[in-house]
Structure formats: C-alpha cells, structure tokens
Amino acid sequence: MGGKGIRIEGLKKRYGKGDTAVDALKDVDMHVAPGEVVGLIGPSGSGKSTLIKCLGAVVDPTAGRMWLGDEQIYNEGWKVRDLSALRRDKIGFVFQSPYLIPFLDVTDNVALLPMLAGVGNHEARARALELLTALDVQHRARAMPSQLSGGEQQRVAIARGLVNRPPVILADEPTAPLDSERALIVIHILNDMARKFQTAIIVVTHDEKIIPTFKRIYHIRDGVTQEEAGEGREFQ
C-alpha cells in the first residue's frame, strides 16, 4: 500500500445530453495522502455521491484523471480492464449500514473478500483475526452478526474494508446511525487504521459531531470542490 493515496485531476461527470444534460461534477481536484483521513461535506445534490461512485469505479466519469495508490485508473477513459477486481482489491468500502452477511460469523464476514481474491483459507482467516484484534473485537470472532451491538458491527465492517489491504477506503456516512460517543470512536478507529496501514480514507458525512476531527475538509457544492483546513480536534 502507500504510494500517492487518492489523486483526482479535472474530474467531470455529465448525465444526459443536449438541453437536458446535468453537470454533476464540473472540475474536481482532490488529493488524500496515504495515512490521511479527509472529510467530504456538502448539501444534498452537491455531487458527493457522484464523486464517491466515480472513485469507487461504480460510475464512469466524463473526463479527467484518477489515481488510486500508484496506479492511474482513469485518464479520459478507464485504464483498468477489470473494474470488479479493482473494487475488490484496491478499494475498501464502509457504509452507513454494516451490511454484514447474516449467515456467516464475524471471521467469515471479514475473510470472505480475500478468499474471493484467491487468498488461501488460512491466510484469509489470519488477516481477519489480525484486524479484528486491532479493532478490539477479536472476542466476537465466532459470533453471528445478530449477536453484535451496533458499534461492534461497524468495527467488523471496518475490518472487512481493510482486509484486502487497499490503498483507499471510501466511507459513506459511517457514523450516521451512532450516538456521539460511538461516532467519535469510529472516527478514532479510522484514523488509527489509516496510520497503521497507510490507507487514504475519504469520509462522506453530514455528521456535525465528527466534522471538527478532520485536519482537512473538501466542501463540494454544485459539482465543484474547495479545500479548507479543518480543526483537527483531538479525540476526547
């Protein structure tokens, strides 16, 4: 991992054609270094979701350039042949809901992705246990998702996002369902994991509780980003 983290230059996304065309992203520049957690905020309809979908190789940009880690993935067209493998191996996703598989225990929920990527059973489970230990939920390794608290489920979801050792994690409203204490714990965990694994992390959020923790913030409005320094408030 490591390298350039996330880098975007001149990214544009247009939906539709002619008089009905909508420019969701107009000219986005962004950089998130390895080991850094950056906030992405903006009103509804500002382009946050479109930007994350482009970064996650879910939506095709219209123009621009993107790098994940040391690899250029887009330059006026995708430079990667297998986008599903890119999403599996290079990008970790953490969502508002954990989306754990209900019939798999905690270890298998985390180990499944590396197994799908061809990692052997023993190695995949060892990776899973390492992350569960780092996130202080190793004692729940054999539990089923329904037996976990909301905070434990979100920690398992973070472990799943990290298990393939991606250079990038996209976290979409990861603290929305949590109270203030648990929300700050999740952000603290993301910062610890970013430093430990040198992962570049973007957190999309409306959550006023966590915005003061970011050292850098990108505001997006009408498809244009503006970078500003955050408070970088220390965790309590």
Side-chain angles (χ1 to χ4, degrees):
M1 292 188 296
K4 299 180 179 68
I6 303 168
R7 189 153 56 99
I8 303 170
E9 294 178 354
L11 197 71
K12 298 177 173 64
K13 175 58 182 178
R14 172 172 288 184
Y15 292 105
K17 296 181 180 180
D19 293 340
T20 62
V22 175
D23 290 315
L25 299 177
K26 295 178 180 177
D27 192 9
V28 172
D29 294 319
M30 179 182 285
H31 174 243
V32 184
E36 186 179 25
V37 180
V38 167
L40 176 63
I41 64 176
S44 296
S46 59
K48 297 191 305 297
S49 294
T50 297
L51 177 53
I52 288 298
K53 288 175 182 176
C54 288
L55 269 172
V58 175
V59 165
D60 296 337
T62 303
R65 295 173 297 280
M66 296 193 297
W67 289 259
L68 296 184
D70 290 315
E71 182 179 13
Q72 186 177 58
I73 64 168
Y74 190 90
N75 186 351
E76 309 301 328
W78 291 108
K79 312 305 286 185
V80 178
R81 183 171 299 176
D82 188 343
L83 292 180
S84 62
L86 174 74
R87 288 188 291 269
R88 183 190 66 216
D89 300 337
K90 299 286 188 178
I91 306 168
F93 296 93
V94 179
F95 301 104
Q96 178 175 332
S97 297
Y99 295 117
L100 302 179
I101 299 172
F103 53 84
L104 296 180
D105 68 21
V106 163
T107 302
D108 285 344
N109 260 280
V110 179
L112 179 61
L113 274 180
M115 288 180 186
L116 292 174
V119 175
N121 185 291
H122 179 76
E123 171 64 19
R125 290 173 181 277
R127 283 193 200 177
L129 188 58
E130 176 188 9
L131 284 166
L132 293 171
T133 300
L135 291 162
D136 198 26
V137 283
Q138 72 277 9
H139 60 292
R140 308 294 270 155
R142 305 311 303 176
M144 303 303 286
S146 62
Q147 298 172 306
L148 304 180
S149 69
E152 287 171 338
Q153 289 186 19
Q154 196 66 304
R155 289 179 187 229
V156 175
I158 292 169
R160 183 182 57 196
L162 284 162
V163 71
N164 273 347
R165 302 170 181 170
V168 169
I169 284 185
L170 307 176
D172 191 3
E173 299 284 0
T175 65
L178 304 177
D179 61 29
S180 295
E181 182 178 0
R182 290 187 177 90
L184 289 173
I185 288 171
V186 166
I187 293 302
H188 196 178
I189 288 168
L190 287 174
N191 276 273
D192 283 347
M193 296 297 100
R195 287 190 292 267
K196 181 174 182 178
F197 296 102
Q198 285 301 289
T199 306
I201 301 179
I202 293 178
V203 178
V204 180
T205 188
H206 288 100
D207 192 345
E208 297 290 342
K209 302 186 295 291
I210 67 170
I211 289 172
T213 68
F214 299 116
K215 293 181 180 178
R216 286 200 306 128
I217 294 170
Y218 282 93
H219 283 271
I220 185 166
R221 185 182 295 274
D222 297 327
V224 177
T225 50
Q226 181 177 3
E227 179 187 352
E228 67 176 47
E231 294 181 38
R233 188 179 299 171
E234 292 295 323
F235 299 99
Q236 301 300 315

